[in-house]
Amino acid sequence: SRALEEGFIRGEIPYQLIGGTRFYERREIKDAMAILRLIANPNEAVSLQRVLQNTPLGKGIGSKTIQQLEQWARATGRPIYDGFAALAGELDISPPNVGSRPTKLLVDVCRVLSKLVAAETTMALSELFDTAMEQTGYAAQFIDTGDPEMLDRWENVLQLRAVLSSYDELPDSTALQTFLEESALVADADTIADNDDQVTLITLHAAKGLEFPIVFLVGAEEGILPHSRSMESEAQLEEERRLFYVGVTRAKERVYITYAFRRSMYGFGDVTVRSRFVEAIPPELIEESHGRTSTPPSAVRQRSLGSSNWPSADSPAPISSPSVALLSAGDRVFHDRFGDGVVLQVREVNDDQEVTIKFKRHGQKLLMASLANLQTG
């Protein structure tokens, strides 16, 4: 929802987010932002404490140790981070009095942060972010679990990376500070008072049973709707199709379905493919729009679907995709999400193949060949 939220804020359009947390209020975004603020200013105590408590970088550093660091800071009048540097031998001052194990952990934290601080002036902002997520262990805690909820949260972090990539053209020495200043303005404006005359941002799941005069279904693209993870099975794909139907039928008067020709997903731009669900809408139910005044609806009575480039009744039928290459046990394959794997077993299902694959990082998965978009070789 980040792009929509920022658009509403900048356009001074009141909105409410139903069944979710505003982007910059999400826990994983707050954690990632704390890491970035700490790179910009290691002496910022609030961000340092959040990083120590909420990220793998602070693993093993307990509340007692943090209290000892705070006491040292008050007694010496120095920032807490100077205590880290003193323990690491980077500052010639009396270090905090902590145990041997906490000392080792704090020295490790200091070394990681020192490298990231030094890298700020030599790396593009998105590259610095990637390095920070890796070296602090923050990325691994989401990716290595394979838990769908954790992967959803990681996708939010990657949306933050997409924002950062727009600052890559700025000088390395100023990009991070510029981003932090501008994002603070957006986050502060994210407290618009609720009122009746506002846009409602809501998920398809939460929209069941509700109706609105006008509905916008955004991101009707392969990999978003249907979601990439739904392509693992026909049952999940059909559930996505039902959700799409729920969205369309929430509209009392008009529904607009939008998709991007090119989208930056998680910081990497690529040409998109329009959702198969849009392709399945009968052409006579579509009112085309080409950026000018729309043609008045004629045959459409119950629903009118706004679009930029959807097929009209005179458009040629979509070209069907080429048939999927047949797979055999022992084939090496690559999946966009699961990475490299080896086919263990293949079972013929009608005109398709049910394939059991062992992936290097994600273990064994059962996929339908026609839906999984596997690359062989």
Side-chain angles (χ1 to χ4, degrees), residues 98-153:
V98 296
S100 58
R101 183 171 181 274
T103 294
K104 180 182 182 303
L105 295 173
L106 293 171
V107 168
D108 289 342
V109 171
C110 183
R111 288 173 179 165
V112 169
L113 290 178
S114 294
K115 289 179 182 178
L116 292 173
V117 170
E120 180 192 350
T121 57
T122 61
M123 289 183 176
L125 190 51
S126 61
E127 183 183 358
L128 175 66
F129 182 76
D130 292 342
T131 303
M133 294 299 102
E134 179 183 352
Q135 293 190 4
T136 59
Y138 197 64
Q141 69 175 347
F142 296 102
I143 299 171
D144 292 347
T145 63
D147 181 348
E149 181 180 345
M150 294 295 280
L151 290 173
D152 284 342
R153 290 175 58 195

Side-chain angles (χ1 to χ4, degrees), residues 191-345:
T191 57
I192 296 174
D194 287 345
N195 60 62
D196 293 334
D197 187 15
Q198 61 187 345
V199 176
T200 298
L201 288 174
I202 191 168
T203 65
L204 291 172
H205 285 95
K208 291 178 180 178
L210 302 177
E211 283 191 321
F212 304 90
I214 309 294
V215 166
F216 287 81
L217 290 180
V218 299
E221 301 152 31
E222 293 291 294
I224 299 178
L225 184 62
H227 194 279
S228 56
R229 289 202 294 272
S230 72
M231 299 180 188
E232 298 170 24
S233 75
E234 290 185 12
Q236 292 177 14
L237 188 64
E238 286 309 304
E239 175 60 23
E240 292 281 285
R241 192 187 306 277
R242 283 190 286 272
L243 281 173
F244 180 83
Y245 178 79
V246 166
V248 170
T249 54
R250 296 312 88 200
K252 295 180 181 178
E253 300 171 11
R254 184 175 292 259
V255 54
Y256 294 84
I257 306 177
T258 74
Y259 62 93
F261 170 75
R262 181 183 294 273
R263 180 181 293 274
S264 177
M265 287 287 287
Y266 319 131
F268 303 97
D270 199 2
V271 175
T272 66
V273 177
R274 186 169 60 189
S275 172
R276 68 192 70 189
F277 303 149
V278 176
E279 300 288 0
I281 298 173
E284 64 271 16
L285 295 181
I286 295 173
E287 177 189 340
E288 283 195 278
S289 174
H290 298 281
R292 297 185 293 270
T293 304
S294 301
T295 303
S298 54
V300 184
R301 290 291 178 266
Q302 295 181 320
R303 294 289 183 267
S304 180
L305 304 174
S307 162
S308 57
N309 287 304
W310 290 343
S312 67
D314 298 326
S315 301
I319 301 173
S320 59
S321 57
S323 58
V324 178
L326 295 178
L327 298 170
S328 303
D331 285 351
R332 301 187 65 84
V333 296
F334 177 82
H335 186 273
D336 287 342
R337 175 165 167 253
F338 300 126
D340 294 317
V342 177
V343 176
L344 300 181
Q345 185 179 1

Side-chain angles (χ1 to χ4, degrees), residues 63-83:
S63 57
K64 181 181 178 180
T65 300
I66 293 176
Q67 288 174 0
Q68 290 172 327
L69 291 168
E70 291 173 341
Q71 291 171 358
W72 177 89
R74 286 193 295 269
T76 61
R78 286 181 168 273
I80 292 176
Y81 185 73
D82 282 358

